Amino acid sequence: MAESKARKTATEPAAKQAVTSAAKPDVKPDVNQDVKQAAKPAVKAAAKPTGKAAAKPPVKPPVKPRKPESHLAMVRRARRINRELAELYPYAHPELDFENPFQLLVATVLSAQTTDLRVNQTTPALFAKYPTPEDMAAANPEELEEVIRPTGFFRNKAKALIGLSTALRDEFGGEVPGRLADLVTLPGVGRKTANVVLGNAFGVPGITVDTHFGRLARRFGWTTEEDPVKVELAVAEIFPKSEWTMLSHRVVFHGRRICHSQKPACGACPIAPLCPAYGEGELDPEKARKLLKYEMGGQPGQRLKPPSDFPGEAAARADAAAHQGRVADLGVDA
């Protein structure tokens, strides 16, 4: 009797498995059905949002990847970006206050690792005390450091200012030279500073690769280089020499106002259709508009003494408002 029960128990799983196999024939899985099954939980969750889930905004659609472009296509797109930026920033200019080449040279050296506004707040007292290279070359280091302290790194900057002023006095007759080869021999002066001075004090075309320009040049797909000199050389091959100085101003303006380092305002950018990096920043137009800075956000720029031919804050705001059709609503008071 016990043996009979054991045989019955041992054969039951096999029998059940055979019946199950017979009821479910071997067929290929239905891919569409699998997709439907996978989608059910999402549909159910979407149909009955509760609590925090109900307050979450809808997921943004992914940004479509761009097709690979030829070098010629990149050049054409880059030049179109320059034209668009020229329309957006017809008033682009150096945002450092200066009245002569020496003041621009000093202000540019001071602008490292700080804002142009901070430099513009510091230089009036600096140039009142040291108006010429001869005066600055003879400055007491501690006194000079105290004047430029607000710009940061004041000890290194004071050393550079005294050094370059001494070189101007002893080697260039107290005058700022108008050649790149001469400018880069001055203490604290590299190609970026030299190009700023050449382009804006002497009218010699130059590309100014600061942090903003380098960042946007890579975002725009003009180059992948990180070294400023290599970025300069790469961009110089894309644009005619006559455009170099104004191109620098436009790109820097755009980097400071819209295409920021941490939170670019992609959703409020007029050149978004031309930018391979579109989608790295805020895409929602309302949120993006809140990220706009200076005149684009209804605030003044960085110059305290703008040049006489600068259209001024009111004109800059009006020009920004004129682009509302392209940038949606910039939130600027016209």
Side-chain angles (χ1 to χ4, degrees):
M1 185 71 171
E3 183 180 353
S4 175
K5 285 184 179 182
R7 281 199 301 269
K8 184 178 179 180
T9 304
T11 55
E12 279 182 356
K16 286 183 179 180
Q17 184 177 0
V19 172
T20 304
S21 299
K24 296 182 179 179
D26 185 16
V27 295
K28 292 182 179 180
D30 185 344
V31 176
N32 291 328
Q33 186 64 26
D34 290 343
V35 172
K36 291 177 183 177
Q37 291 295 335
K40 280 183 180 179
V43 172
K44 186 176 181 181
K48 296 181 180 180
T50 58
K52 293 183 179 179
K56 289 183 179 180
V59 178
K60 297 172 185 176
V63 179
K64 294 182 179 179
R66 288 176 173 264
K67 296 180 180 179
E69 63 179 351
S70 65
H71 178 74
L72 178 59
M74 182 275 289
V75 170
R76 288 174 174 171
R77 180 174 56 80
R79 294 184 177 184
R80 185 178 172 189
I81 287 176
N82 184 38
R83 293 193 297 270
E84 294 287 335
L85 292 179
E87 290 187 20
L88 187 62
Y89 308 110
Y91 47 84
H93 64 284
E95 295 191 271
L96 291 169
D97 289 331
F98 69 97
E99 296 177 357
N100 54 56
F102 175 64
Q103 290 189 358
L104 179 57
L105 176 61
V106 170
T108 306
V109 171
L110 291 176
S111 69
Q113 303 298 316
T114 190
T115 64
D116 287 357
L117 176 60
R118 178 65 67 187
V119 174
N120 294 336
Q121 293 170 338
T122 304
T123 50
L126 176 67
F127 295 137
K129 191 167 185 176
Y130 311 106
T132 68
E134 290 80 4
D135 295 321
M136 196 166 289
N140 178 285
E142 287 76 15
E143 292 179 3
L144 178 58
E145 289 173 6
E146 194 59 32
V147 176
I148 66 173
R149 180 185 289 269
T151 67
F153 301 95
F154 53 91
R155 291 189 179 87
N156 288 337
K157 290 179 180 180
K159 182 179 179 180
L161 293 183
I162 292 175
L164 70 85
S165 296
T166 301
L168 291 177
R169 180 195 64 191
D170 298 343
E171 300 175 27
F172 298 99
E175 299 293 332
V176 176
R179 295 196 319 143
L180 178 66
D182 293 330
L183 283 169
V184 295
T185 65
L186 301 174
V189 178
R191 290 183 66 92
K192 185 203 83 169
T193 298
N195 281 326
V196 170
V197 174
L198 290 174
N200 298 287
F202 294 99
V204 178
I207 296 174
T208 304
V209 182
D210 65 357
T211 56
H212 301 288
F213 191 98
R215 178 178 73 252
L216 268 63
R218 288 183 288 274
R219 282 182 176 171
F220 290 160
W222 298 350
T223 181
T224 58
E225 299 290 350
E226 296 283 343
D227 179 74
V229 175
K230 292 182 179 179
V231 172
E232 177 190 340
L233 297 178
V235 174
E237 294 180 355
I238 300 174
F239 298 94
K241 192 172 183 178
S242 59
E243 286 289 310
W244 287 356
T245 299
M246 287 308 301
L247 170 72
S248 300
H249 292 323
R250 294 163 190 155
V251 172
V252 171
F253 255 56
H254 194 62
R256 286 174 172 169
R257 285 150 177 77
I258 297 179
C259 195
H260 312 135
S261 175
Q262 298 300 321
K263 293 183 178 180
C266 292
C269 181
I271 62 171
L274 300 172
C275 181
Y278 173 72
E280 288 187 8
E282 179 58 61
L283 297 179
D284 181 83
E286 284 296 326
K287 293 181 180 179
R289 282 194 291 273
K290 294 178 181 179
L291 299 174
L292 301 180
K293 295 183 179 179
Y294 302 113
E295 74 277 4
M296 291 299 179
Q299 303 297 323
Q302 301 196 71
R303 294 203 73 158
L304 300 179
K305 296 191 301 179
S308 58
D309 58 346
F310 177 59
E313 181 182 330
R317 290 188 179 190
D319 181 80
H323 289 81
Q324 285 182 356
R326 299 167 60 222
V327 197
D329 177 16
L330 286 175
V332 178
D333 298 326

